């Protein structure tokens, strides 16, 4: 493997990592509160706001059902307005964030809804306010589930970040397409795929290890 | 301590079939007593208990706890009132991600106790329920009985006046059940705590209750002192519950052969409930002295509030007047005798 190839791979890996991390962090900022709202504000939930909850649920579903590649193209004006360009790593972060927010919202919602309803009874019987129930019961009990959901989102982001490569987003996907496919360099393609596999493995096992550490529901042998 | 008046609660409606869970329930649980609410599943026990701290708000009726009508309180006042009503649950409802000590501390954090007073109070409670050595463990490492002890410690933490027990022993094995009931009894006596519990097991009632409330289809069909309910049950449902607990439910084959009138050669079947000296006394010999052959078909002698309590099904063969005289004699001594009917002698192995 030539030094040029190596430097290309290093740059592309760093670009992918920055896209995943920045988009992931931004999407958490939007997705976690949104997920909590979806889980807590439905009809019969702790803080019912059924109309708004339904509306946001519809928006989340609409965003999630738009194919990612179409989303990337469709929001180019927004991307330009935010980053001043529609190509490159920074520009790619915008659709990645936008796609990850509803995904994270749904996994957070699912994790919070998984918490045993009996715990809510117990907390209410102890005179807890809704805010205390969320802070002292729901979030601590759901944290392992939320973390597993975020791991899933991060792995998905790696995949999506490769996809934005196809439309000039930079990163490993871009490298794989331009060198591996268009210039017919199978060794480059192989290197890209291997790096992606390793990235996903690290994310998955890191997330799972942390979730297991936080999860006290089962005895560990 | 607890006075419930005219509680009604209907579930469903709006297209779904309406189910009446509570159909006008009036109940008084005196301060310092253990009141057991028993009934078949679907009788409305859970709705009744959950109405006491308004986890389920009744459609109508009033809930007075410690002189305060909870139904009229604002949300904030209701939350404060709930801190003086402890509750334990069938499935314990402990936070899996808090340690034993952390679970007990939660009740105090919610009640707004200052940090420095929480730790000593938690230690005191863990000592009370015998779990001091488990303070740092997570609930996953505990047995069912230990989990319920944590639930009890948590419920008692903010010094409640009233403890609600929602089928607290139904998920436990018989030995653990007995230990938890002993603990409830001890707490009731030591702290003067009023306890309101629901159960579907008559054995739980027998072991801990002072007062019994029998609930069926959302109505109270019978209530009274536990001794009175066990020795003189009135309602058929109460009798049936009791028969299950005392082993005096007739086998189906025998029940099918019962006839209200006696044919020649038949034997009379009676169910006897007696407490104290009568229960411990020579009941069978009494019949024999009257010239009646009495044989034991079913039943047992158990302790009811540490007094012997006999529940027996007897087959009596002999002169009808002699039988009636001996039955009257036993009744005069306080025994409750239910005449079940007559069967052919071979049905109970008389020849």
């Amino acid at each position: 493997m030539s030094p040029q190839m190596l430097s290309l791979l290093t740059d592309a890996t760093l670009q992918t990592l920055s896209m995943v991390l920045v988009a992931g962090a931004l999407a958490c900022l939007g997705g976690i509160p949104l997920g909590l709202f979806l889980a807590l504000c439905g009809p019969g939930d702790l803080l019912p706001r059924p109309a708004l909850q339904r509306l946001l649920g519809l928006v989340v579903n609409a965003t999630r059902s738009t194919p990612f590649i179409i989303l990337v193209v469709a929001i180019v004006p927004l991307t330009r307005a935010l980053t001043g360009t529609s190509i490159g790593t920074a520009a790619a972060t915008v659709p990645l964030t936008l796609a990850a927010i509803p995904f994270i919202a749904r996994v957070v919602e699912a994790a919070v809804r998984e918490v045993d309803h009996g715990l809510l009874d117990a907390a209410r019987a102890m005179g807890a306010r809704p805010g205390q129930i969320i802070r002292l019961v729901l979030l601590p009990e759901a944290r392992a589930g939320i973390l597993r959901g975020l791991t899933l989102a991060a792995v998905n982001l790696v995949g999506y970040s490769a996809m934005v490569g196809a439309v000039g987003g930079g990163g490993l996907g871009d490298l794989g397409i331009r060198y591996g496919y268009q210039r017919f360099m199978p060794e480059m393609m192989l290197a890209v795929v291997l790096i992606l596999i390793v990235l996903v493995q690290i994310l998955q096992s890191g997330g799972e290890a942390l979730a297991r550490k936080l999860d006290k529901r089962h005895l560990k042998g | 301590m607890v006075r419930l008046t005219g509680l009604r609660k209907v579930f469903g409606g709006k297209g779904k079939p309406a189910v009446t869970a509570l159909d006008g329930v009036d109940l008084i649980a005196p301060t310092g007593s253990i009141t057991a609410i028993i009934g078949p599943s679907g009788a409305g026990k859970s709705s009744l208990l959950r109405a006491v701290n308004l986890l389920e708000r009744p459609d109508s009726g009033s809930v007075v706890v410690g002189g305060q009508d909870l139904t009229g309180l604002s949300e904030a006042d209701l939350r404060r009132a709930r801190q003086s009503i402890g509750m334990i649950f069938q499935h314990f409802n402990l936070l899996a991600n808090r340690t034993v000590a952390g679970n007990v501390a939660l009740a105090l954090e919610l009640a707004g106790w200052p940090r420095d007073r929480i730790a000593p109070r938690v230690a005191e409670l863990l000592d009370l329920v015998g779990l001091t050595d488990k303070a740092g463990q997570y609930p996953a490492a505990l047995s069912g009985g230990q989990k319920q002890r944590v639930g009890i410690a948590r419920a008692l933490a903010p010094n409640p006046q009233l403890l609600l027990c929602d089928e607290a022993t139904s998920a436990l094995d018989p030995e653990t059940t007995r230990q938890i009931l002993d603990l409830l009894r001890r707490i009731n006596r030591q702290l003067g705590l009023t306890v309101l519990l629901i159960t579907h097991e008559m054995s739980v009632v027998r072991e801990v209750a002072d007062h019994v409330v029998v609930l069926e289809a959302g109505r109270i069909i019978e209530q009274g002192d536990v001794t009175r309910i066990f020795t003189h049950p009135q309602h058929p449902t109460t009798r049936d519950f009791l028969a299950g607990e005392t082993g005096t439910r007739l086998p189906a084959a025998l029940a099918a052969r019962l006839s209200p009138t006696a044919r020649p050669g038949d034997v009379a079947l009676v169910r006897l409930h007696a407490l104290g000296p009568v229960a411990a006394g020579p009941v069978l010999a009494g019949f024999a002295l009257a010239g009646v052959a009495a044989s034991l078909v079913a039943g047992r002698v158990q302790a009811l509030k540490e007094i012997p309590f006999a529940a027996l099904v007897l087959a009596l063969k002999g002169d009808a007047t002699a039988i009636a005289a001996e039955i009257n004699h036993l009744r005069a001594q306080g025994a409750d005798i239910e005449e079940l009917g007559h069967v052919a002698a071979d049905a109970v192995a008389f020849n």
Side-chain angles (χ1 to χ4, degrees):
Chain A
M1 191 172 284
S2 67
Q4 291 96 320
M5 263 179 76
L6 209 59
S7 119
L8 278 171
L9 279 170
T10 316
D11 287 352
T13 306
L14 289 175
Q15 283 172 354
T16 292
L17 278 177
S18 90
M19 279 190 284
V20 170
L21 290 178
V22 173
L26 291 175
C28 280
L29 287 180
I32 293 177
L34 181 58
L36 291 177
F37 186 88
L38 291 174
L40 299 169
C41 302
D45 290 333
L46 208 55
L47 301 165
R49 301 276 186 285
L52 186 56
Q53 196 258 9
R54 211 176 130 71
L55 179 71
L56 287 175
L58 285 173
V59 172
V60 162
N61 288 347
T63 321
R64 291 199 61 202
S65 47
T66 310
F68 180 64
I69 202 79
I70 293 177
L71 183 81
V72 173
V73 183
I75 63 158
V76 161
L78 176 69
T79 309
R80 275 222 181 88
L82 287 174
T83 62
T85 172
S86 65
I87 53 170
T89 310
T93 308
V94 178
L96 283 176
T97 307
L98 218 63
I101 286 175
F103 185 84
I104 289 178
R106 284 298 184 205
V107 295
V108 168
E109 180 190 9
V112 173
R113 286 199 186 278
E114 278 287 290
V115 174
D116 181 1
H117 206 266
L119 295 184
L120 296 189
D121 278 351
R124 288 177 63 215
M126 287 187 273
R129 292 189 302 271
Q132 291 175 315
I133 295 181
I134 295 168
R135 197 160 42 83
L136 295 174
V137 178
L138 286 177
L139 288 181
E141 289 295 301
R143 65 188 180 191
I146 291 177
L147 197 65
R148 289 198 171 93
L150 294 182
T151 304
L152 204 60
V155 167
N156 273 358
L157 271 176
V158 172
Y160 281 3
S161 78
M163 233 189 285
V164 286
V167 287
L172 286 166
D174 185 36
L175 193 66
I177 296 235
R178 283 194 291 122
Y179 288 77
Y181 180 66
Q182 290 165 348
R183 298 190 191 175
F184 200 68
M185 294 171 65
E187 70 279 15
M188 188 62 107
M189 187 62 96
L190 186 68
V192 164
V193 171
L194 284 177
I195 292 173
L196 285 172
I197 290 175
V198 170
L199 267 183
V200 168
Q201 286 295 344
I202 291 173
L203 281 171
Q204 185 65 48
S205 24
E208 181 56 30
L210 197 54
R212 277 178 66 90
K213 202 170 144 56
L214 289 180
D215 194 349
K216 309 291 185 193
R217 279 175 296 182
H218 312 286
L219 271 183
K220 286 157 204 134
Chain B
M1 168 55 66
V2 180
R3 195 172 74 240
L4 309 176
T5 318
L7 289 193
R8 287 186 55 82
K9 173 84 183 178
V10 179
F11 286 105
K14 284 186 196 163
K16 288 178 216 158
V19 178
T20 305
L22 298 175
D23 191 6
V25 172
D26 301 312
L27 184 153
I28 290 179
T31 304
S33 69
I34 298 185
T35 301
I37 300 165
I38 187 163
S41 40
K45 303 186 293 288
S46 201
S47 290
L48 181 54
L49 193 78
R50 292 165 65 88
V52 177
N53 58 3
L54 296 189
L55 278 188
E56 269 173 35
R57 201 172 267 277
D59 299 330
S60 61
S62 77
V63 176
V64 178
V65 177
Q68 190 179 34
D69 188 345
L70 301 188
T71 45
L73 294 182
S74 68
E75 277 297 312
D77 287 339
L78 175 59
R79 285 196 288 267
R80 204 159 309 122
R82 279 176 178 159
Q83 281 157 11
S84 55
I85 305 174
M87 189 167 192
I88 58 174
F89 302 87
Q90 178 173 6
H91 298 296
F92 325 120
N93 296 350
L94 301 179
L95 273 67
N97 292 302
R98 275 187 179 233
T99 60
V100 165
N103 267 283
V104 179
L106 177 65
L108 299 170
E109 289 168 31
L110 292 174
W113 280 44
R115 289 246 164 253
D116 56 322
R117 283 181 55 210
I118 291 182
R121 178 67 180 149
V122 169
E124 196 181 327
L125 285 155
L126 290 181
D127 182 49
L128 178 75
V129 300
L131 283 180
T132 304
D133 56 329
K134 301 280 182 196
Q137 301 267 17
Y138 286 93
L142 304 183
S143 70
Q146 290 170 331
K147 285 180 192 170
Q148 195 57 290
R149 285 168 190 275
V150 179
I152 292 172
R154 180 177 70 178
L156 296 180
N159 285 313
Q161 311 157 282
L162 172 66
L163 179 65
L164 305 176
C165 308
D166 187 355
E167 296 275 9
T169 58
S170 300
L172 303 176
D173 62 65
E175 175 57 21
T176 314
T177 294
R178 207 183 47 73
Q179 290 168 1
I180 293 294
L181 294 177
D182 285 348
L183 177 61
L184 288 177
R185 235 313 165 211
R186 184 156 63 83
I187 291 163
N188 162 257
R189 285 185 185 152
Q190 272 180 13
L191 311 177
L193 189 75
T194 309
V195 178
L196 193 56
L197 64 88
I198 61 172
T199 179
H200 61 272
E201 291 167 307
M202 208 63 180
S203 57
V204 170
V205 177
R206 180 174 57 79
E207 291 196 31
V208 294
D210 300 311
H211 296 273
V212 187
V213 174
V214 187
L215 200 65
E216 187 177 49
R219 290 166 182 274
I220 293 180
I221 53 170
E222 185 164 359
Q223 62 178 314
D225 180 78
V226 67
T227 313
R228 203 281 288 159
I229 296 282
F230 268 75
T231 52
H232 296 87
Q234 303 296 316
H235 194 280
T237 302
T238 317
R239 287 183 177 278
D240 189 55
F241 256 112
L242 207 54
E245 158 64 5
T246 56
T248 56
R249 193 175 275 150
L250 290 186
L254 189 56
R257 296 182 64 177
L258 268 181
S259 140
T261 51
R263 290 150 302 188
D266 272 4
V267 298
L269 286 185
V270 299
R271 187 185 281 131
L272 173 143
H273 291 136
L275 190 68
V278 186
V283 175
L284 297 185
F287 279 105
L289 284 174
V292 177
S295 84
L296 189 55
V297 176
R300 60 178 77 128
V301 180
Q302 296 162 292
L304 176 63
K305 293 183 135 186
E306 288 140 37
I307 299 171
F309 167 68
L312 308 170
V313 173
L314 302 176
L316 306 172
K317 188 176 166 70
D319 175 52
T321 15
I323 290 177
E326 184 59 21
I327 285 177
N328 283 337
H329 174 65
L330 286 168
R331 278 181 178 152
Q333 290 179 286
D336 173 80
I337 296 172
E338 185 186 357
E339 293 175 59
L340 300 171
H342 304 266
V343 288
D346 66 309
V348 288
F350 263 112
N351 286 305

